[in-house]
Structure formats: structure tokens, C-alpha cells
Amino acid sequence: MAESPYKFCSNCGASAWITKSDREFVCAACGHRHFIAPIAAAVALLLDAQNRVLVIRRAHEPGLGRLGLPGGVIEPEETGEMAAAREVHEEVGLELPASAFTYFLALNNRYLFQGYAWPTLDLFYMARVPDFNGVVMQAAEVSECLICPLDEVAYDEFAFWSNAEAVRRWRTSAVAA
């Protein structure tokens, strides 16, 4: 069973845990139950008129130096499409409205943060742009932008299997169409 990612009980502040399962931790002092649930993340699959995908190289952990797609945690009051548009702007500087994004796929993933592999539900949204001329890397997020034909994506270099799998599935659906 997993070790609790919580340092202190949110109810009484105690630090002793009873592990009930990989997702349930009970405070040994007061009995308050703490659950691990998937964290929703929005990920953007951006394609240009030549059907090339924008892939980023991550500038921070987890996955420092590995490939990924623009994306991140969905904030309170955001839809998945709104989060995809915000993350694209924050990471690669493109201004796209939330309405430019269409839901494509959901995949489970794990995101190592502060020593714990948190479960995520990665929601992938697709958007088309005429070209990638307006891309401006945000150095805190991205160290490189790659514009890749779908059949030349380096799947084994991705930080997260879900990102690679989404590109694979998009490529398969594009070939089948």
C-alpha cells in the first residue's frame, strides 16, 4: 500500500496515518478520512495546416528536458477548453479562444509532485492553427518548441505516457480518416 502524501491531518493537525488503501488515509488521532482522487488536467494537441503537431520540451520537473504537450491543472471555475487555452498561452504564447478547442480524449496518468505520484485525469483537446509563427516559448515552462509531422514524433522521449498516447491516437484517427 502507498504511503500517505499528507504530512498533517487537515482536521486536527496530527501526523500519524492509518493507510486503508492506495487512495484512503485516516488520521490515527481523530479518524478524519483523507482521499486521493484524480486531478483534472487539460492538455492541448495543436495542429497546423500541414497537420504537424506542436511538441514542447519541458523546462521544469517532473520531466525536465523531456517532451510534452502544452497543458496543466484545470483551475476552479474553468472548463477544460478554457484551461487548454490558458495553458497554451502561458507555455507557448498563442492566443486562442476556448472555443477553438474540441474535446478529443481522456487518459489516466500519474504526476510526480512533492514526492508523490498523484493520479491525474488528462483531458486532451485539439485545436487547429494556420501555422506556428506566433509561438513564443515561455522560458519558465518550455525550453524548446518542436513542430513535428505526426509520423515523426519521438514518442519514447515524452515525460508522460498519456501525452505520447494521445498523439499516437490522433495520428491513428487522422490516417484512418
Side-chain angles (χ1 to χ4, degrees), residues 97-163:
S99 61
F101 293 88
T102 303
Y103 172 79
F104 171 57
L105 173 71
L107 295 169
N108 294 97
N109 196 21
R110 290 277 176 172
Y111 188 86
L112 185 63
F113 182 70
Q114 295 180 344
Y116 187 79
W118 295 91
T120 64
L121 179 60
D122 295 348
L123 305 172
F124 291 87
Y125 295 89
M126 194 278 291
R128 289 204 176 267
V129 295
D131 55 53
F132 293 117
N133 292 337
V135 168
V136 178
M137 288 185 316
Q138 304 305 309
E141 300 280 339
V142 176
S143 63
E144 183 180 11
C145 288
L146 306 159
I147 299 165
C148 304
L150 285 171
D151 58 352
E152 294 179 17
V153 174
Y155 299 112
D156 60 335
E157 291 185 34
F158 275 78
F160 308 112
W161 85 269
S162 64
N163 285 209

